Amino acid sequence: LRFVGLMSMIDPPKASVPDAVSKCRSAGIKVIMVTGDHPITAQAIAKEVGIISSQNHLIIFDSETPIPNSHQPGVAACVPGYVMMDWEEADLDKLIRSFTEIVFARTSPQQKLFIVEGYQRAGNVVAVTGDGVNDSPALKKADIGVAMGIAGSEVSKEAADMILLDDNFATIVTGVEEGRLIFDNLKKSIVYTLTSNIPEILPFLTWVVLGIPLPLSTVAILLIDLGTDMLPAISLAYENAELDIMERAPRDTHDRLVNHRLIFLAYGIVGITQAAAGFFVYAVIMASYGWMPNRLLFIKAEWEDEYNNNLEDSWGQEWSYGQRMMLQQTCNGAYFLAIVQVQWADVIISKTRMLSIFQQGMKNNVLNFAIIFETV
């Protein structure tokens, strides 16, 4: 025999994968490799793409390797499938608690399913990627199954919840970022829309309970809801992602789009502030014409009596019905303008959930136009 040459083949990871894995880490997403490759190959690829940190010590398990009872900082694990043959659920749970970075190699379809169930028991929301028939049980069991659109089998596509058309892991990270952006912008739009409810409701409550002249007309409420508020609320959907959107930990699975914190912000803080601005302007105008706040209490019946043309204000001046209605309309207009002006501040507040407006900037041209539209 004569040696002619040596040939080897390599299927390297896509160039975008290391950056995608890094983004996952910063976003609080743990990336675990579960593969049918040899442990040496699996740990080499994991190190190359950043699933295993280069500075961490790596333990490649064999049948004699004990599972630690406590968390092992700075240590990664590579666990071949034959080691897990006789494992119970408690053994896998202990492994997951002990190591942050884990690679599972030479795994069978049953073991892949076993691993997914283990991470779900640990309280994680599990997403699984796969392209073969042997990945189907894990794809079906996962909270989010992601199949490959190009190289994936039909069985895996049927079992998955989502299909990657470009077979690129980085696309998943882009999808996470877009999902967080949509969730953020929906919250911003809802907060902005809800805040105006308080300054719209309180004038009627005070009119009924305290008997004061009506501070805000129903026509003005319609102008706020259907006119000045609509475009700014829609424009918040076009807001760019905040700079730290992929540096936040994943939100709690029990979190809702509208929760108690959002309601408190919209009604308890911003809404009350807007109502205070409206009532302040209302009281100032009334006082400037001789109607002090204490004189306005429980005067509704006399104020609205069209036959009463000699109603006295705080200084003893007599007002006819027409004069009173003219003053009330002036107050209605002032209250309306106060709400619109405070809504300018509200839409800027709603632009960001975490960052300063100086960090986010005013690059949303739809929002900029909406503010001009609301002003006009």
Side-chain angles (χ1 to χ4, degrees), residues 216-227:
L216 185 67
S217 67
T218 53
V219 174
I221 291 176
L222 291 175
L223 286 174
I224 293 172
D225 290 340
L226 304 179

Side-chain angles (χ1 to χ4, degrees), residues 121-260:
R121 283 195 303 275
N124 298 287
V125 176
V126 180
V128 172
T129 63
D131 57 5
V133 175
N134 58 350
D135 297 320
S136 299
L139 288 169
K140 192 71 175 177
K141 179 63 178 177
D143 298 287
I144 306 168
V146 184
M148 302 296 122
I150 300 174
S153 65
E154 290 301 319
V155 176
S156 65
K157 292 178 185 178
E158 287 292 331
D161 302 296
M162 182 170 66
I163 299 174
L164 291 182
L165 298 180
D166 59 357
D167 287 13
N168 191 348
F169 177 79
T171 305
I172 299 175
V173 181
T174 304
V176 171
E177 186 172 357
E178 288 294 322
R180 291 186 175 190
L181 173 60
I182 291 170
F183 190 83
D184 270 9
N185 287 352
L186 281 173
K187 273 188 171 289
K188 293 171 185 177
S189 184
I190 291 171
V191 167
Y192 175 80
T193 304
L194 291 180
T195 50
S196 60
N197 289 347
I198 295 297
E200 290 173 353
I201 293 172
L202 283 182
F204 286 90
L205 289 179
T206 53
W207 176 63
V208 172
V209 176
L210 300 180
I212 65 173
L214 186 62
L216 185 67
S217 67
T218 53
V219 174
I221 291 176
L222 291 175
L223 286 174
I224 293 172
D225 290 340
L226 304 179
T228 61
D229 269 7
M230 186 172 292
L231 192 56
I234 294 172
S235 69
L236 288 170
Y238 295 88
E239 191 63 35
N240 295 325
E242 296 182 38
L243 298 177
D244 67 338
I245 194 168
M246 289 300 286
E247 296 175 4
R248 307 175 196 164
R251 63 184 179 87
D252 191 278
T253 53
H254 300 292
D255 189 16
R256 295 291 181 265
L257 191 61
V258 179
N259 54 24
H260 65 280

Side-chain angles (χ1 to χ4, degrees), residues 13 33-54 56-61 76-80 101-106:
M33 178 185 286
V34 182
T35 179
D37 291 336
H38 190 277
I40 300 298
T41 307
Q43 60 90 16
I45 294 174
K47 286 183 177 179
E48 183 179 352
V49 300
I51 294 175
I52 293 179
S53 303
S54 57
N56 282 358
H57 174 64
L58 176 64
I59 298 175
I60 299 180
F61 274 61
C78 179
V79 185
E101 299 176 350
I102 307 176
V103 171
F104 296 94
R106 288 285 191 232

Side-chain angles (χ1 to χ4, degrees), residues 16-27:
S16 58
V17 173
D19 181 58
V21 172
S22 176
K23 283 186 176 180
C24 284
R25 284 180 177 274
S26 65

